[in-house]
Amino acid sequence: MTQDHEKDKDKFLKERASLVEWLKSRGYIKSDTVANAVLKVPREEFVPPEYRDYTYLETPLPLPGKNATISCVHTYCIYYEALKLSPGDRFLEVGMGSGYGAALARELVGSRGRIVTVEIDEETYRFGKANLERLGYNDVITILDDGSGGYEKYAPYDKIAVTAACPEEPRRIIEQLEKPGAIIYPVGGSRYQYLMLTEVNKEGKVSSQFLTTVVYVPLRGKYGVSFYK
Ligand code: SAH
């Protein structure tokens, strides 16, 4: 099973560039800002060594911890294009996993923005945090905690991404949005979920839309999936 990776930095760079072209051609990447962020972040550094050669295949890969996977690149593009993640945004990610999503987000919000990412599994947390630090993403705020109710300390957030499957609309997390603000989350059963975008306007009016169907690992914790605490 353990097989050290064979591809070098240049090979990964080429694979990353061709994945970006594919993501553009399929409409997952719409903006230059998201294209540049995906090109810049070396995703292979967020993948455990034994799976590293598969970094640029569009498939989720296992991470250390109880039930964590690094999601396909196109799902981050769907999330961040729909959220219009922009310079200066205060951003919360629930489900840090490898730290890859937080690194991409950091590229998009710039030095004026703030990234807070919460992970419930200690082993996954250590892995993700180490990846972020090794690559110099030292100003990403990483938290080992249950994020199923959001993370009050740094609220409000302009944008929020939940990267684990919610049993129902995550009301408590939505309440931590700034007005205006936007959140993306998968909601539904264990086999697949509906990816929803909920926006709050500056008067506080809330509207939600369905984006696509997705498959995520279950959200754990207090407001997570009941059979999976
Ligand atoms: N965004 C991640 C992938 C997410 S996998 C990446 O870029 O790699 C989903 C992650 O959510 C897993 O690591 C899982 O442990 C975590 N998770 C599940 N329930 C959680 C909760 N209540 N609070 C915080 N993290 C949670």
Side-chain angles (χ1 to χ4, degrees):
M1 189 67 189
T2 14
Q3 177 208 328
D4 278 340
H5 63 285
E6 287 171 359
K7 294 179 181 171
D8 62 10
K9 226 175 150 190
D10 268 9
K11 175 76 177 148
F12 281 130
L13 188 60
K14 281 192 192 120
E15 290 189 357
R16 190 149 76 243
S18 72
L19 179 61
V20 166
E21 287 314 307
W22 181 82
L23 291 164
K24 281 185 188 167
S25 73
R26 299 296 289 262
Y28 293 119
I29 292 183
K30 301 181 200 308
S31 63
D32 288 345
T33 47
V34 170
N36 290 336
V38 177
L39 276 176
K40 184 156 178 205
V41 178
R43 178 175 162 88
E44 62 276 11
E45 295 289 335
F46 294 87
V47 172
E50 58 267 42
Y51 302 111
R52 203 157 280 175
D53 280 353
Y54 309 116
T55 296
Y56 294 99
L57 296 180
E58 279 294 89
T59 177
L61 295 167
L63 297 176
K66 192 168 167 192
N67 196 355
T69 57
I70 179 165
S71 311
C72 303
V73 181
H74 79 268
T75 60
Y76 295 99
C77 299
I78 295 174
Y79 268 66
Y80 296 162
E81 292 286 7
L83 285 175
K84 301 188 181 71
L85 206 55
S86 316
D89 278 346
R90 293 159 298 173
F91 174 71
L92 171 69
E93 177 184 46
V94 176
M96 172 172 72
S98 65
Y100 176 69
L104 276 184
R106 182 67 188 76
E107 296 296 338
L108 292 166
V109 307
S111 53
R112 288 188 297 113
R114 180 163 69 202
I115 307 293
V116 178
T117 180
V118 188
E119 172 57 51
I120 198 169
D121 186 289
E122 194 173 348
E123 194 183 349
T124 311
Y125 173 80
R126 280 201 300 269
F127 176 74
K129 185 178 165 64
N131 293 339
L132 288 166
E133 284 174 356
R134 195 177 61 252
L135 291 164
Y137 291 102
N138 297 308
D139 55 358
V140 169
I141 303 173
T142 60
I143 313 279
L144 173 62
D145 207 342
D146 175 8
S148 64
Y151 197 72
E152 193 67 54
K153 183 174 171 194
Y154 294 101
Y157 304 97
D158 302 299
K159 313 278 166 68
I160 302 176
V162 182
T163 67
C166 307
E168 57 193 36
E169 188 185 73
R171 194 164 48 77
R172 290 169 189 81
I173 311 181
I174 294 173
E175 281 164 9
Q176 293 174 9
L177 277 177
E178 180 63 275
K179 302 180 186 71
I183 175 172
I184 288 205
Y185 52 92
V187 64
S190 56
R191 286 178 57 209
Y192 67 92
Q193 304 92 32
Y194 302 106
L195 188 65
M196 303 297 296
L197 170 68
T198 294
E199 293 172 285
V200 183
N201 73 9
K202 61 177 192 307
E203 286 78 39
K205 190 170 165 286
V206 179
S207 58
S208 297
Q209 54 173 301
F210 163 77
L211 298 179
T212 182
T213 49
V214 286
V215 182
Y216 275 85
V217 301
L219 184 72
R220 291 157 60 180
K222 189 169 178 195
Y223 304 109
V225 178
S226 55
F227 65 84
Y228 201 87
K229 300 280 184 208

